[in-house]
Amino acid sequence: MTLIQSKPMHRLSVGSIFVFVGFLAVFAFRYVQVRNFTPFVPQSSSFALSPPSQAISGTLTQSTGIVEQFTREADDYQEATPDGIIRQGESIATKRGTARITLENAGIVTLGNTSEISFVSLIPSALMLLQKSGSITYEVNSSSPFSIRALRALVTLNGDATLAIDNTNIIFRVTKGTSKLALIDEENSTKVWNVVAGQTARVTN
């Protein structure tokens, strides 16, 4: 009886050893995994578009009162810096003040009181400005015209002019050179007028 019982006990102990060794191997493998594990840590990132390399820039050469600038990196208007640089896609607004911006080899933009403008494109061959409010004077001193969008009107200016927005009305006065004033009506059709030095165009709704 003793010999018959001893054989199963011997086989059982060998099996237990194999199980124990297997457990140790798995434990050791998981321990190595944990020690070599590098936890994922989210990294902060930012995304910003730079102006095209061929785009020019403007300089705030003169300002009075409160003048603010909406830069490409900001979420809202901030106080403008005298002699600060204005890049494509940025905006300038005056609050109880005036501002004069010199565009590199292109011309001068002078904002009157409570005026706002966005420099949509500062590529010399396709210069586009968006006047949002107020009275602004434009002086073009290059062969490339200024394209100025204001409400429903689009102006192509070769010379000097002042454009004023009064609620939903526009007053456009040319003091030098020539310009074209295009207007999109309620039926989505476009009409174009030539406006020369000494003439004033009034667009009313």
Side-chain angles (χ1 to χ4, degrees), residues 43-59:
Q43 300 293 321
S44 59
S45 61
S46 60
F47 177 78
L49 293 174
S50 300
S53 58
Q54 66 269 36
I56 61 175
S57 61
T59 304

Side-chain angles (χ1 to χ4, degrees), residues 45-102:
S45 61
S46 60
F47 177 78
L49 293 174
S50 300
S53 58
Q54 66 269 36
I56 61 175
S57 61
T59 304
L60 182 61
T61 51
Q62 183 178 338
S63 63
T64 62
I66 300 175
V67 179
E68 296 181 334
Q69 181 176 358
F70 201 145
T71 65
R72 300 174 65 91
E73 296 82 11
D75 296 325
D76 202 353
Y77 275 99
Q78 299 176 352
E79 182 179 356
T81 303
D83 296 321
I85 300 300
I86 301 152
R87 299 167 296 173
Q88 177 171 299
E90 299 186 340
S91 301
I92 292 289
T94 57
K95 297 181 178 180
R96 299 187 302 277
T98 62
R100 182 183 178 92
I101 298 115
T102 300

Side-chain angles (χ1 to χ4, degrees), residues 112-118 129-138 148-155 162-173 181 201-205:
N113 187 38
T114 60
S115 301
E116 183 180 6
I117 190 169
S118 294
L129 309 174
L130 173 60
Q131 181 172 336
K132 298 181 178 180
S133 62
S135 177
I136 301 179
T137 298
Y138 302 90
I148 307 160
R149 183 69 186 267
L151 300 180
R152 296 184 296 113
L154 177 62
V155 172
T162 298
L163 193 154
I165 298 176
D166 181 15
N167 295 322
T168 58
N169 303 322
I170 295 173
I171 301 174
F172 178 62
R173 183 175 68 256
L181 173 63
R202 290 180 173 84
V203 179
T204 59
N205 283 343

